Amino acid sequence: MNITEQDKEYMREAIRLANESVKNGGGPFGAVIVKDGEIVAGSSNSVTRDNDPTAHAEVNTIRQACRKLGTFDLSDCVIYTSCEPCPMCLGAIYWAHIKRIYYGNTKKDAAAIDFADDFIYKELEQHVEERAVPLIPLLRNEALETFRAWEAKQDKVEY
């Protein structure tokens, strides 16, 4: 993959947002989403500010880009993030269909300052019965009715 000077500038903006976040009491993470050579969204981590454990820089930036572009499909976009995405953010990036991820710090760098997500990867490798947080099936037959209704719906918007 050929990295351009423009790629470096986008990453510098993600890093700037991360630095700004630290100065303002947020976590040390920032991200920008680029479409057709233009930054369409940029945000930082706001977990503690918003009392929202999902308010990671990548998720905040994806939400912002989707609102601005009026779509849930960011397949024509690229994300630049100041740190290798955690499992939640990586999942959100995949769900948004973003085509490329550039990152600054590694997950080992993050773990070195107490932002470790290895436990989540380990949990995903465990059988459901062996995970730290119990997953308990309940009312599956009733819940399946909703899936049947979705499957039969003629005018659904698939994603």
Side-chain angles (χ1 to χ4, degrees):
M1 181 72 42
N2 188 26
I3 299 196
T4 67
E5 287 303 313
Q6 193 63 57
D7 290 321
K8 292 176 186 178
E9 288 305 310
Y10 298 139
M11 181 58 73
R12 286 186 181 107
E13 178 60 11
I15 294 167
R16 186 192 70 74
L17 289 167
N19 286 327
E20 185 178 293
S21 181
V22 171
K23 290 176 190 171
N24 295 324
F29 306 97
V32 297
I33 290 178
V34 174
K35 178 181 178 185
D36 299 329
E38 178 185 334
I39 294 176
V40 295
S43 191
S44 61
N45 178 292
S46 62
V47 169
T48 56
R49 187 176 63 239
D50 295 343
N51 291 317
D52 179 352
T54 69
H56 290 201
E58 297 90 339
V59 172
N60 286 343
T61 305
I62 288 168
R63 290 173 179 160
Q64 190 181 94
C66 289
R67 280 191 302 272
K68 182 173 182 181
L69 298 173
T71 183
F72 54 82
D73 182 0
L74 301 178
S75 59
D76 51 358
C77 296
V78 175
I79 191 167
Y80 296 80
T81 178
S82 65
C83 187
E84 186 174 354
C86 75
M88 176 185 68
C89 293
L90 190 59
I93 290 166
Y94 275 83
W95 279 116
H97 305 286
I98 293 173
K99 64 182 177 183
R100 191 174 303 121
I101 305 165
Y102 292 92
Y103 65 93
N105 295 311
T106 68
K107 62 183 176 181
K108 287 184 180 183
D109 297 331
I113 61 165
D114 296 326
F115 286 97
D117 52 26
D118 284 346
F119 74 97
I120 297 173
Y121 287 109
K122 289 176 186 170
E123 278 289 290
L124 292 173
E125 293 173 3
Q126 298 292 325
H127 290 285
V128 173
E129 302 82 23
E130 297 171 356
R131 292 185 183 164
V133 177
L135 277 84
I136 305 160
L138 182 64
L139 298 177
R140 178 173 179 255
N141 288 334
E142 291 180 35
L144 280 171
E145 291 176 23
T146 308
F147 279 14
R148 288 185 197 104
W150 170 260
E151 190 174 40
K153 189 172 174 60
Q154 296 298 311
D155 62 344
K156 64 186 168 211
V157 176
E158 296 193 26
Y159 55 97

